Amino acid sequence: MLVGGRLCYGGDYNPEQWPAEVWQQDVELMRQAGVTLVTVGVFAWSRLEPAPGRYTLDWLDQVLDLLHDGGVQVALATPTASPPPWFSLAHPGALPVTADGVRLHHGSRDTYCAAAPAYRAAARRITGVLAERYARHPAVALWHVHNEYGATCHCRYAEAGFRRWLRDRHGDLDALNDAWTTSFWSQHYSDWAQVSTPRATQYLPNPTQTLDFRRYWSDELLSAYAEQRDLLRAANPAVPVTTNYVLGDWVPVDHGRWATEVDLVAVDHYPSDAGPAAEEQTALAADLARGWARHGAPRRAGPTADGRADAWLLMESAPNLIYTPGRMHTREPGRMARHSLAHVARGSRGAMFFQWRAPRGGAELFHSALVPHAGPDSRVFREAVALGGMLDRIAEVDAGAVEASVAIGWDAASGWALQQRGLPTDRLSHHDEVAATHRALWRAGYTCDPVLPGDPLDRYALLVLPALYLASDATAGWVHDYVHGGGHLVVGYLSGVADEHARIRLGGYPGAFRDVLGVRVEEFHPLADDDEIPLTGGGTGRLWSETVHLAGAEPVRAYAAGALAGSPAVTRHRYGDGVAWYVSTRPDDTTHRSLLTGAALAAGARPACPGAPDGVEAVRRRGPGASWLFLLNHTDRAQRVPATGTDLITGAVAETGLTLPAGQVAVVRERADA
Ligand code: GAL
């Protein structure tokens, strides 16, 4: 455990924004709320180094000592996501350049190019200073490098880095020309100097150039992270190092790959929806984090916080108002705790927030905080105190790994490739398809582990691949071996269509998986936003449809109207010892749920709590000699759940079942025979 047998609970703490009198009060309030860990110093560079090479660390010494005396541990951040004004003035060449060629100025955060040598050197310097001074401070339980890596750049350093990366990946220009299909539109390169980052251009850009740039930039950012990590590790190998992932389609970071380089996967999650979808988004974000953690665990080199392969940490979430485009939305009473516990249910080592105390000014002045502008005499602070109590009572669950029998394929590169503009429709994304699959299974009570191509699959009864657009030969082999060996597979449309260079696999879609699926797709028929095609057996298909020919598979559902009437929409194929389903359209949510649960049941996968009513989320964690069933009632009515054991939150013992009040959570330590 990171924080002495307790779950991590707290948030970003910015003492640099407050006079010292407030610090004492903060620590007092943290104790009241049961806070165990705070993230300090994320954007404090100009306070730590007010002029080049001049360091003012006394205030941080005092803060760390105060927190330590108050029993609060620290995730100490390196402040490199926000270089001070003096840095930008001294190194204008390290300011970021957009794809349009515009150089951005100081005035916000993330105003640097991660490939610029001056920035990297300055980042190493301040990291080295912090490492030297605090690596053995008793309050420091975790290093938090930077903040939400993701800012891109198209300056000359980025361009030079891109060329170096391309040489490593492709070897020579012939291979690059081939991979990028530069014979199209006269893009053939005859000298490396002609190759640039994908800047703003006329009409459609080269999709493989764009894809490779995302891959390169992920690696460039990773090397910036790793430089800092190595300095911190060298100063004290016992303190784990992490960085907080920002989620979203735009992020040029391959989180799965990064998971091998962090000691603990940490993610920030802000649902973009205020309605019931917030619960689905929360479950998906948490599952992704766990999937990345599990993917990275066997390859990690540093000190993991304990032996659990699927441990991760919710590093940021919002206590109340969340910024969404156009307007902020409020988290209703109870939801902060329920969402926090949903993350813990799915493997998080606790619940951290942005932020501890709401700021008086600055860019995010209305962002919510555990101590809001109104002060501790407030609903949010009272809920924070209650949440601290709950986390304290359930701390033993940290020993349990999350049980999941369904795997969902996740691939950052497929996500990026599907963002290219030359596709048959711009309505599709890997993320949305993964979310639709996850939602259907979440609603039916199944816990799913996201997996990356190549990950071990032996623990899963069912593998679902939603829009896994890119498939290398290795990925094709991974899928083949799984099914041939007895696995059950569901493949969604736009999977296996292209190779790793985003070039189409010829001879009929989905080229990489045709044999396993026993189908050959001849044509795509993208649908308009308001189009629906009825399917035989009920329900409709949306967004997408295809001319599917059977090549060994049997039809399960057919298109029931329009030009495709009578041709297969959903198929099933016995292959080797396994079964492979193909779904050539996006079924409506109800149909999707029934198709996927049908496949899951046939595969032998089971929900965590069969019989739990709709709207009650159930997730099981199992550790040595014990299991815990998390039950989250997202409905506005009391619900009866067939669970037995002791609810760690209320202490109540459930003998024959448990009644969960509206909006409440139970964490049931199950009887040994459960
Ligand atoms: C996060 C970021 C925080 C804060 C927060 C606001 O993505 O790490 O610094 O900006 O968003 O929601």
Side-chain angles (χ1 to χ4, degrees), residues 12 42-43 109 147-148 244 246 268 270 316 318 322-323 354 364 367:
D12 278 45
V42 173
F43 297 115
R109 63 184 188 191
N147 189 68
E148 298 192 334
N244 51 336
V246 55
D268 298 347
Y270 297 93
E316 283 184 24
I322 305 183
Y323 280 102
F354 183 84
E364 293 180 331
H367 197 289

Side-chain angles (χ1 to χ4, degrees), residues 621-636:
R621 294 180 60 164
R622 193 179 292 278
S627 67
W628 299 270
L629 185 64
F630 281 72
L631 297 164
L632 302 102
N633 183 357
H634 298 304
T635 74
D636 55 9

Side-chain angles (χ1 to χ4, degrees), residues 149-368:
Y149 278 103
T152 44
C153 184
H154 291 264
C155 74
R156 65 194 171 96
Y157 300 117
E159 187 168 82
F162 188 36
R163 289 186 193 132
R164 276 195 301 276
W165 184 93
L166 290 168
R167 277 178 198 262
D168 277 356
R169 180 173 174 85
H170 297 288
D172 58 28
L173 276 178
D174 285 348
L176 177 125
N177 280 308
D178 184 43
W180 287 16
T181 320
T182 55
S183 47
F184 196 84
W185 283 350
S186 179
Q187 292 183 348
H188 186 91
Y189 295 101
S190 54
D191 192 302
W192 283 101
Q194 297 158 5
V195 181
S196 69
T197 66
R199 302 220 182 93
T201 186
Q202 192 65 267
Y203 196 40
L204 305 176
N206 182 309
T208 316
Q209 178 187 13
T210 309
L211 173 62
D212 270 355
F213 181 66
R214 302 288 284 265
R215 288 172 164 145
Y216 151 64
W217 197 249
S218 178
D219 286 354
E220 185 68 75
L221 294 177
L222 184 57
S223 80
Y225 160 79
E227 259 174 27
Q228 293 195 34
R229 178 203 57 201
D230 293 348
L231 288 167
L232 299 167
R233 259 192 202 158
N236 183 357
V239 179
V241 186
T242 192
T243 182
N244 51 336
Y245 292 179
V246 55
L247 309 183
D249 265 5
W250 62 273
V251 182
V253 165
D254 184 339
H255 292 125
R257 175 162 152 54
W258 280 51
T260 62
E261 305 285 334
V262 294
D263 297 330
L264 176 69
V265 166
V267 306
D268 298 347
H269 187 241
Y270 297 93
S272 63
D273 193 279
E279 268 87 52
E280 295 161 0
Q281 292 178 357
T282 298
L284 175 57
D287 287 349
L288 282 170
R290 190 181 64 258
W292 294 323
R294 191 178 272 294
H295 170 79
R299 305 166 186 86
R300 262 175 229 141
T304 38
D306 65 20
R308 181 157 63 86
D310 67 351
W312 60 279
L313 179 62
L314 174 69
M315 189 61 97
E316 283 184 24
S317 57
N320 188 17
L321 285 177
I322 305 183
Y323 280 102
T324 49
R327 144 176 110 84
M328 291 174 144
H329 67 249
T330 314
R331 274 186 145 173
E332 308 94 46
R335 237 174 170 188
M336 170 172 85
R338 209 163 71 240
H339 288 182
S340 299
L341 293 170
H343 283 289
V344 176
R346 291 172 187 275
S348 175
R349 314 204 67 207
M352 304 283 290
F353 291 85
F354 183 84
Q355 54 205 317
W356 167 251
R357 185 182 276 281
R360 300 193 68 167
E364 293 180 331
L365 75 173
F366 286 110
H367 197 289
S368 51

Side-chain angles (χ1 to χ4, degrees), residues 67-86:
L67 289 165
H68 180 63
D69 293 346
V72 178
Q73 299 227 256
V74 172
L76 188 56
T78 65
T80 51
S82 209
W86 60 255

